[in-house]
């Protein structure tokens, strides 16, 4: 199994359910370290920004750790997962929370209907909107596991989208920042491949 | 479009997977980790682990197996049974479970649902409802893990379905006791009635015996997922075959 030369930092922005991401990285032969330490995050080869729960609480924890300035300045590959992806946007309408502002746009509540229950919970398909190394070996229309109520519209940095009542951005990329609205660590072999692709992205 | 979920349920007692008929006469079906690995390979969409001994006996349980399961499973899983408070739920989630499911403790203290939802988010909070009845009227049962304690909970099922959603439940598993373990099909009438008042994901449980039962429950009751135990554990229905069949019936499933 491939050894990664340097550290991958998992930013500790709270949420009880983070063990599964650590296990997924271990299955790829990588030891992930949860950290809030700015120096360690800055020095890491790659940064994962996981997170479950509300946007306000997630931003609050990043503020407490003094990471609000640092994260948008990072130059290594950064992957936001679920809430971590939402925090990359400018603002979330969940508690009107200003976010990190890496990606333009606003995160809004999905609309519930009898056919489209909220939270959007379960396996849904990602339709590719642009080529990316993140998708290497992953067929268009593959199924991934989602658990969320808020989502961003498919804007200019959307490279994959998904339909649940309306289409929303399920994969985004701007420069070295990536985001996935689903949980790759809980999405079977496709999710594992996506994480592996992220871990093998070149870092300048 | 969301895939309809196929969910094997592993009833766990003393570290082994067991299954009873109509909640009685439990027999050993296998080891937890062996079945977890098998369902991962078979592309189950989710797995529910239900500790059937935990709730009735009022004792705390050994949760170390959850960490081992989380290490092996790359699909979501839910733990039910014996979760009575926020601290108990936190232990389960920290060990790597994606969701927690509460049943009898929520009936004893309905505020628990809101406390869990505020602390962990509704998406983690599943409410299990054991229900039986007919002719348009169904009643909730509690402490069903132990035949000597199992009793009617004094609540109408449809009222309870509405209440748990208001309190913050993110998903409901409706276990139709009339049908449990008898493999005659899901309780379509009851599931349709509950579906009408259920805006969160609804999972059908109890009665699966043949692939046609899954088609019926997805088409007629429009549930988000179908849970079963014996037919999967015994190998009578292989999940890959079931999904292939559902796809031919134009039901969206994850391949």
């Amino acid at each position: 199994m491939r050894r990664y030369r340097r550290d991958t930092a998992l930013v500790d922005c709270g949420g009880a359910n983070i063990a599964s991401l650590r296990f997924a990285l271990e299955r790829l032969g990588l030891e992930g370290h949860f950290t809030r330490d700015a120096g360690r995050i800055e020095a890491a080869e790659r940064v994962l920004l996981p997170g479950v729960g509300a946007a306000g609480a997630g931003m609050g924890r990043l503020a407490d750790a003094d990471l609000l300035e640092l994260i948008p300045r990072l130059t290594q590959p950064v992957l936001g997962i679920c809430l971590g992806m939402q925090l990359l946007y400018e603002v979330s309408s969940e508690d009107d929370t200003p976010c990190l502002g890496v990606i333009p746009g606003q995160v809004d509540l999905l609309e519930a209907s009898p056919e489209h229950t909220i939270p959007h919970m379960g396996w849904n398909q990602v339709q590719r909107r642009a080529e990316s190394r993140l998708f290497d070996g992953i067929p268009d229309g593959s199924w991934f596991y989602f658990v969320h109520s808020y989502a961003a519209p498919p804007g200019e940095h959307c490279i994959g989208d998904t339909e649940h009542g309306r289409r929303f951005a399920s994969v985004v990329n701007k420069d070295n920042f990536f985001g996935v609205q689903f949980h790759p660590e809980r999405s079977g072999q496709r999710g594992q491949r996506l994480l592996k692709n992220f871990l093998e992205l070149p870092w300048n | 479009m969301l895939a309809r979920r196929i969910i094997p349920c592993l009833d766990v007692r003393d570290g082994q997977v067991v299954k009873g008929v109509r909640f009685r006469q439990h027999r050993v079906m296998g080891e937890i980790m062996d079945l977890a690995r098998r369902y991962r390979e078979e592309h189950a969409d989710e797995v529910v682990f239900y500790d059937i001994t935990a709730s009735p006996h009022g004792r705390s349980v050994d949760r170390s197996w959850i960490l081992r399961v989380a290490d092996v499973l790359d699909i979501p899983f839910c733990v039910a049974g014996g979760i009575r408070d926020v601290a108990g739920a936190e232990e389960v989630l920290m060990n790597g479970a994606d969701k927690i499911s509460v049943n009898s403790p929520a009936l004893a203290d309905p505020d628990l649902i809101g406390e869990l939802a505020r602390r962990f988010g509704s998406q983690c909070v599943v409410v299990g409802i054991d229900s039986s009845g007919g002719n348009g009227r169904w009643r909730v049962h509690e402490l069903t893990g132990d035949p000597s304690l199992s009793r009617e909970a004094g609540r109408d099922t449809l009222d309870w379905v509405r209440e748990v959603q208001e309190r913050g439940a993110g998903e409901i598993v409706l276990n139709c006791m009339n049908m449990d373990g008898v493999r005659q099909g899901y309780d379509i009438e009851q599931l349709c009635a509950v579906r009408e008042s259920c805006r969160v994901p609804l999972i059908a449980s109890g009665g699966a015996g043949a692939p046609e039962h899954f088609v019926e429950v997805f088409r007629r009751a429009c549930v988000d997922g179908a849970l079963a135990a014996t037919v999967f554990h015994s190998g009578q229905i292989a999940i890959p075959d079931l999904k292939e069949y559902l796809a031919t019936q134009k039901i969206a499933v994850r391949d």
Side-chain angles (χ1 to χ4, degrees):
Chain A
M1 194 150 295
R2 182 182 160 167
R3 285 267 156 217
Y4 296 88
R5 280 176 297 116
R6 294 171 66 180
D7 207 33
T8 292
L10 284 86
V11 179
D12 180 8
C13 54
N17 179 22
I18 42 183
S20 54
L21 185 60
R22 189 162 49 82
F23 285 131
L25 295 176
E26 284 174 9
R27 284 193 288 270
L28 289 165
L30 182 77
E31 216 174 302
H33 299 280
F34 278 101
T35 182
R36 294 173 155 216
D37 180 76
R40 199 159 178 189
I41 292 168
E42 200 163 16
E45 190 182 16
R46 283 153 229 289
V47 175
L48 286 156
L49 183 64
V52 285
M59 285 302 290
R61 283 184 290 262
L62 293 181
D64 291 346
D66 216 6
L67 296 174
L68 296 184
E69 302 281 311
L70 174 71
I71 293 174
R73 285 196 289 109
L74 293 173
T75 55
Q76 65 271 57
V78 177
L79 178 64
I81 296 175
C82 195
L83 175 67
M85 164 174 164
Q86 296 176 11
L87 298 185
L88 295 177
Y89 283 84
E90 289 170 301
V91 65
S92 170
S93 64
E94 188 175 20
D95 309 322
D96 290 321
T97 306
C99 296
L100 295 165
V102 172
I103 294 172
Q106 172 167 330
V107 172
D108 286 309
L109 185 64
L110 291 167
E111 208 170 296
S113 72
E115 294 79 32
H116 301 100
T117 51
I118 302 293
H120 172 226
M121 181 149 62
W123 296 81
N124 206 332
Q125 288 174 292
V126 172
Q127 309 296 341
R128 201 168 300 179
R129 295 299 159 205
E131 291 305 313
S132 168
R133 293 185 65 170
L134 209 57
F135 292 133
D136 281 359
I138 299 172
D140 194 15
S142 287
W143 298 88
F144 292 90
Y145 184 72
F146 290 82
V147 183
H148 63 119
S149 299
Y150 287 78
E156 64 172 311
H157 301 289
C158 169
I159 61 171
D161 66 16
T162 297
E163 191 271 329
H164 186 67
R166 60 175 164 89
R167 298 207 79 82
F168 65 86
S170 48
V171 190
V172 285
N173 172 218
K174 187 187 175 211
D175 306 324
N176 57 312
F177 289 89
F178 295 81
V180 289
Q181 182 57 71
F182 49 82
H183 287 271
E185 73 279 15
R186 278 289 179 255
S187 294
Q189 287 168 9
R190 304 287 193 225
Q192 184 94 341
R193 181 61 195 259
L194 187 136
L195 280 175
K196 181 169 180 282
N197 291 343
F198 173 75
L199 295 172
E200 291 177 353
L201 287 173
W203 179 38
N204 303 315
Chain B
M1 182 193 277
L2 264 181
R4 305 292 177 169
R5 282 179 265 161
I6 301 296
I7 308 171
C9 177
L10 282 62
D11 288 1
V12 173
R13 194 174 60 182
D14 301 326
Q16 288 189 304
V17 178
V18 298
K19 181 59 192 171
V21 173
R22 287 185 191 267
F23 287 67
R24 286 157 206 265
Q25 299 160 348
H26 296 106
R27 64 194 171 98
V28 173
M29 304 293 289
E31 300 295 330
I32 297 177
M33 298 304 289
D34 293 342
L35 281 163
R37 279 192 200 92
R38 190 179 115 196
Y39 290 127
R40 178 193 64 192
E41 300 305 320
E42 289 191 352
H43 278 206
D45 297 308
E46 192 172 320
V47 181
V48 173
F49 296 90
Y50 177 29
D51 193 331
I52 56 167
T53 52
S55 205
H57 293 297
R59 61 186 171 94
S60 64
V61 289
D62 176 13
R63 301 289 194 191
S64 60
W65 59 270
I66 299 173
L67 263 177
R68 299 202 304 276
V69 166
D71 192 9
V72 160
L73 281 185
D74 57 9
I75 55 171
F77 70 97
C78 176
V79 173
I83 297 163
R84 290 183 197 82
D85 49 33
V86 168
E90 182 153 32
E91 186 194 0
V92 169
L93 293 170
M94 288 298 281
N95 280 355
D98 298 87
K99 305 177 195 177
I100 39 143
S101 181
V102 290
N103 188 328
S104 300
L107 288 160
D109 174 19
D111 289 340
L112 176 64
I113 300 167
E115 287 166 18
L116 293 171
R118 280 189 295 278
R119 176 69 181 82
F120 306 112
S122 285
Q123 78 285 344
C124 289
V125 182
V126 181
V127 174
I129 302 176
D130 294 320
S131 171
S132 75
N135 301 317
R137 187 155 184 271
W138 298 275
R139 303 285 287 171
V140 181
H141 291 247
E142 62 183 341
L143 303 171
T144 52
D146 185 334
S148 67
L149 297 174
S150 178
R151 63 184 178 222
E152 210 183 270
R155 286 174 182 273
D156 183 79
T157 300
L158 297 180
D159 291 343
W160 184 231
V161 164
R162 280 185 281 268
E163 183 177 341
V164 302
Q165 291 176 84
E166 283 160 15
R167 289 179 176 276
E171 180 161 288
I172 292 174
V173 175
L174 187 75
N175 188 40
C176 305
M177 298 171 69
N178 306 45
M179 310 303 277
D180 188 63
V182 296
R183 306 197 208 175
Q184 297 299 305
Y186 291 96
D187 187 341
I188 301 296
E189 185 196 354
Q190 181 173 189
L191 286 158
C192 285
V194 168
R195 175 80 282 180
E196 274 187 36
S197 4
C198 184
R199 280 298 187 96
V200 298
L202 175 65
I203 309 300
S205 166
E212 295 74 21
H213 296 154
F214 290 85
V215 175
E216 186 184 35
V217 78
F218 289 130
R219 273 211 193 123
R220 292 182 55 203
C222 301
V223 295
D224 297 90
L227 183 147
T230 315
V231 288
F232 294 146
H233 304 334
S234 67
Q236 187 200 331
I237 296 178
I239 290 174
D241 297 346
L242 174 62
K243 287 192 165 185
E244 208 169 293
Y245 171 67
L246 291 172
T248 67
Q249 300 297 306
K250 306 285 181 226
I251 289 164
V253 284
R254 164 201 172 224
D255 52 25

